[in-house]
Structures are given as C-alpha cells and as structure tokens.
Amino acid sequence: GMVAASVFLFKDFNGHNWFVWNEHGVGGENSCEPTIEAAKITAESAVLRWGKHFRDNPPYEDEE
C-alpha cells in the first residue's frame, strides 16, 4: 500500500525525474529520462528489480 516510485510530470533541463522508495519511504534508485513514458518504464523496471509489484494508483473518487 505504500508508494514504490515517483515520476515527476514537470520536465527540468535534464528530463523527467523519477525516484524509487523502499518500504520505509527511503529513496533508492533515481534518475531522469527524456520523456515521461521512458521515465515511467525505467521507474517500473527499478521497482521490479527491488522485488515489488508496480501498479498505477486508481483515481480518487472525486477525480472521476
């Protein structure tokens, strides 16, 4: 139920940044990619390397 990865939608001069978190909320791997799609794929790969299952969070009820 914890957040396993964060991918930032806003692009900085290096690209879209992503971070992977462990079960204690401590950051692990991180980097940036030129596109948001590449950042999501790379972050998911990092989560899977950590032995976690990655899934998108469903929208909140008031966001539907």
Side-chain angles (χ1 to χ4, degrees), residues 1-40:
M2 303 284 294
V3 172
S6 298
V7 176
F8 292 88
L9 297 176
F10 298 105
K11 185 176 182 180
D12 67 14
F13 58 89
N14 290 319
H16 294 276
N17 295 293
W18 61 267
F19 300 89
V20 176
W21 311 99
N22 70 13
E23 64 273 8
H24 303 291
V26 178
E29 294 182 51
N30 61 74
S31 191
C32 65
E33 301 296 333
T35 66
I36 191 71
E37 293 82 10
K40 288 179 181 181

Side-chain angles (χ1 to χ4, degrees), residues 31-51:
S31 191
C32 65
E33 301 296 333
T35 66
I36 191 71
E37 293 82 10
K40 288 179 181 181
I41 291 167
T42 308
E44 180 178 7
S45 295
V47 169
L48 293 174
R49 278 193 298 278
W50 283 36

